Amino acid sequence: MSNPTDRKIAMIGGGGVRTPLVIFGINEAAEALGAREMVLYDPDQERLKVIAALGRAVVAKEGGSLIIRETASVEDAVEGADFVLNSVRVGGIASRAADELAAIKHGYPGQETTGPAGAAMALRTVPVALDHARVVERLAPGAWIVNFTNPAGLITQAISTHTKARVVGICDTPTELLHRITLALDARHDEVVCDYVGLNHLGWVRRIRLRGEDVTDRVLDDDSILSQLYTAPLFDFAMIRTLRLIPTEYLFFYYSRRRALENQKRQGSSRGTEVEQLNHELFATLKDRLGADDGEGAVAAYAAYLNRRSGSYMKLEASAGSAFDKDAPFDEDPFRVASGYHRIALDVMTALCGDKPARIIVNTRNDGAVPNLPDDDIVETPCQISRDSIIPEPLEPLPDEVHGLVQSVKSYERAAIRSAMNTDRLTARMAFLIHPAIGEWEPSDPLLHDLLDRCIHC
C-alpha cells in the first residue's frame, strides 16, 4: 500500500444510493485510514454528479478534509488506488424491479439476490465485475477490492476464481444479526462471541457465548429474545428450535417461499419496485435542494430516505407491508447506526491497514476453514483480519441440516458464473435447475426469456 497518509480510495458504482453513507464513514475514519481522496466512477454521469455533490455536502456538514472527486473513467478512478470499493448494479434499479416482478409472475418470490431474480442479477453482473477487476489487476495490483456488489458471494467467487485481484466480499446481514443478538442479551459487543457459518445470504449462527458462557440454549428457548432478532416476523420459533440454528433473514426465501410469494402478490408489488419509487423521489428532491445550494437540506432528505427504506425492510415479504405505510418507524440517525455496509467496509479496511486488527465476518476463500467445502470456495465466515491479511477461522463441519443446501447453492454459483462468462443459455438453464429455490427444468426457459432478454450480455 502507498504512504499511509496519502491513500486513494476508489468506488466503482459511485452513483449508488449507498455511496454517501460510505463517504460519511471514510471521512469519519480518514485519519485512521490515511485517506486523502475518494474517487467515484459510475457510467451514469448525471446520477454520479448528484451523489458526488451530496457526498461533499456530507463532508462539509461533518467537517473533515476528505476530497470527493467524480470521474467518467474507471481507469482514472482505479489507478493507484489502495482500496477499490465495488458496488455496481448493472441495469440499475429498474432491472431489479423488473426481475422481481418476472419471478413473481412465474410463481417464485421476487428477491434481488436469491431465486430467479438473483440468478438474473448474477448473469448480468459477472462479466462487468470481471472487467472491473481486470482494470484493478492492471492499474492497482496491490489494491484490495472490497466487493459490495450483489449477489456478493457469487461475484466475489467470480473475481477470486478468474482474476488475480485481491478481493474480499462484505455484507451487513451477519453483523446485523449479531448486533441484534447482543442487544437482546442486553450486553456489550465485546461480551458476545457468535459462531457463524454459511455463504452470503445463506448463513446461520450456531453458537452464542456471553462473557465466555455458552448461552445458545437460553437464546433458542426464549421467545422474547428470538422476537428481537429480525426487523419483521420471519421465522416460526419452533422451526428455529428444531433446526438449532439461527438463520439470517435471507433464509426466509428458502424456508418460507410460499409465504413470501403470497405476501408479494397480496401487496401487488415487490421490494425492488418500492425502492425504485423511493429512489426517483429522492433524486428529484436532491436535485432541487443541491440546485438551491442547500447542502444540509439535501443531507436531511437523504437521511429520511434511508430511514424509510431501512424501516420497511422485509416487511413486504413477511406481512405484505409497505415502505409507504404511515405507521412505520423512521427516526434513527442512519449515519451513526452500529451496523450497516459503511460500518463493515470501514472495519475491514481499517483492519487491512494494520492499525486495528479485528474479527469480522466476510466473504473470502475457504482455505480449509469449513471442512465440507473446497479451499477455493468463497464462504461467509468469521476471519482474523490484520495488515494485508484475511485468515478464516477453522470451523466445525457444516451441520447435516444445512450441508446439502450450502452444497447446492455453491454448485448453482459455479454454473451461473460459467453461464455468465460464455453466455450459454443451456448452462443458464442448468444453473436454474440446480438452484434449490428454483429447481425445475421446464419453467427455466420462459423465466430466462422474461429475465435475460433485457440483459445486454445474453
Side-chain angles (χ1 to χ4, degrees), residues 286-364:
L286 291 179
K287 287 177 182 178
D288 285 346
R289 298 194 180 178
L290 291 168
D293 200 26
D294 181 12
E296 289 204 8
V299 174
Y302 177 67
Y305 158 86
L306 291 174
N307 276 333
R308 181 165 291 276
R309 181 167 171 166
S310 61
S312 58
Y313 184 61
M314 293 295 288
K315 287 184 169 55
L316 190 154
E317 298 86 353
S319 58
S322 171
F324 303 100
D325 289 342
K326 293 181 180 179
D327 59 349
F330 307 120
D331 57 359
E332 285 190 305
D333 181 347
F335 293 102
R336 291 176 172 80
V337 291
S339 58
Y341 276 107
H342 64 306
R343 290 298 175 199
I344 187 171
L346 285 170
D347 289 345
V348 168
M349 288 191 290
T350 302
L352 286 170
C353 288
D355 295 328
K356 192 178 178 182
R359 179 185 189 260
I360 308 172
I361 297 172
V362 295
N363 289 266
T364 191

Side-chain angles (χ1 to χ4, degrees), residues 197-199 202-204 206 243 245 251 255 366 370-374 377 379 396-411 414 436:
V197 65
L199 311 177
L202 197 85
W204 300 264
R206 60 177 170 185
L243 194 62
L245 298 164
L251 268 299
Y255 294 155
N366 181 38
V370 183
N372 319 61
L373 298 175
D377 272 357
V379 295
E396 298 173 10
L398 290 166
D400 286 346
E401 292 81 2
V402 302
H403 182 197
L405 180 56
V406 170
Q407 294 277 18
S408 294
V409 171
K410 287 308 299 185
S411 296
R414 296 186 195 101

Side-chain angles (χ1 to χ4, degrees), residues 171-247:
C171 179
D172 61 347
T173 296
T175 54
E176 175 65 17
L177 179 57
L178 270 55
H179 173 63
R180 287 179 169 273
I181 290 171
T182 300
L183 290 179
L185 290 171
D186 193 24
R188 298 193 313 267
H189 284 277
D190 60 354
E191 296 178 320
V192 178
V193 177
C194 295
D195 290 351
Y196 178 92
V197 65
L199 311 177
N200 180 240
H201 290 185
L202 197 85
W204 300 264
V205 170
R206 60 177 170 185
R207 188 170 295 110
I208 304 166
R209 296 181 181 86
L210 173 62
R211 294 184 285 275
E213 177 189 355
D214 189 329
V215 295
T216 310
D217 288 342
R218 171 186 159 191
V219 171
L220 290 173
D221 292 340
D222 191 329
D223 284 3
S224 67
I225 291 178
L226 293 179
S227 66
Q228 298 177 60
L229 302 188
Y230 306 99
T231 58
L234 299 177
F235 303 111
D236 186 333
F237 296 161
M239 186 206 76
I240 295 176
R241 292 185 184 113
T242 303
L243 194 62
R244 301 211 62 74
L245 298 164
I246 299 174

Side-chain angles (χ1 to χ4, degrees), residues 69-305:
R69 178 169 68 87
E70 66 262 41
T71 179
S73 163
V74 67
E75 289 81 7
D76 179 35
V78 164
E79 187 170 16
D82 295 279
F83 292 103
V84 178
L85 311 181
N86 185 28
S87 181
V88 303
R89 184 182 292 280
V90 180
I93 190 64
S95 284
R96 172 185 175 178
D99 289 343
E100 291 178 354
L101 293 178
I104 293 167
K105 169 187 169 183
H106 288 277
Y108 300 90
Q111 206 287 318
E112 64 168 330
T113 63
T114 66
M121 187 183 204
L123 294 170
R124 188 179 294 118
T125 306
V126 164
V128 176
L130 290 178
D131 285 347
H132 291 157
R134 289 172 183 134
V135 173
V136 176
E137 274 187 303
R138 179 164 51 90
L139 298 179
W144 280 95
I145 296 175
V146 181
N147 180 54
F148 296 56
T149 298
N150 276 321
L154 187 152
I155 299 301
T156 304
Q157 182 77 62
I159 294 171
S160 176
T161 302
H162 295 286
T163 78
K164 296 179 181 178
R166 300 197 293 183
V167 61
V168 56
I170 67 169
C171 179
D172 61 347
T173 296
T175 54
E176 175 65 17
L177 179 57
L178 270 55
H179 173 63
R180 287 179 169 273
I181 290 171
T182 300
L183 290 179
L185 290 171
D186 193 24
R188 298 193 313 267
H189 284 277
D190 60 354
E191 296 178 320
V192 178
V193 177
C194 295
D195 290 351
Y196 178 92
V197 65
L199 311 177
N200 180 240
H201 290 185
L202 197 85
W204 300 264
V205 170
R206 60 177 170 185
R207 188 170 295 110
I208 304 166
R209 296 181 181 86
L210 173 62
R211 294 184 285 275
E213 177 189 355
D214 189 329
V215 295
T216 310
D217 288 342
R218 171 186 159 191
V219 171
L220 290 173
D221 292 340
D222 191 329
D223 284 3
S224 67
I225 291 178
L226 293 179
S227 66
Q228 298 177 60
L229 302 188
Y230 306 99
T231 58
L234 299 177
F235 303 111
D236 186 333
F237 296 161
M239 186 206 76
I240 295 176
R241 292 185 184 113
T242 303
L243 194 62
R244 301 211 62 74
L245 298 164
I246 299 174
T248 54
E249 58 212 13
Y250 286 93
L251 268 299
F252 183 71
F253 296 100
Y254 293 87
Y255 294 155
S256 299
R257 290 197 295 273
R258 293 183 186 182
R259 182 176 152 207
L261 178 60
E262 287 168 2
N263 284 327
Q264 289 174 331
K265 286 183 172 180
R266 184 150 58 100
Q267 178 58 241
S269 183
S270 77
R271 176 69 170 173
T273 58
E274 292 200 338
V275 170
E276 183 179 24
Q277 182 178 341
L278 288 172
N279 285 3
H280 285 318
E281 293 174 359
L282 170 68
F283 274 87
T285 302
L286 291 179
K287 287 177 182 178
D288 285 346
R289 298 194 180 178
L290 291 168
D293 200 26
D294 181 12
E296 289 204 8
V299 174
Y302 177 67
Y305 158 86

Side-chain angles (χ1 to χ4, degrees), residues 28-39:
E28 187 180 54
E31 184 176 350
L33 288 171
R36 177 183 62 85
E37 179 184 41
M38 186 169 178
V39 184

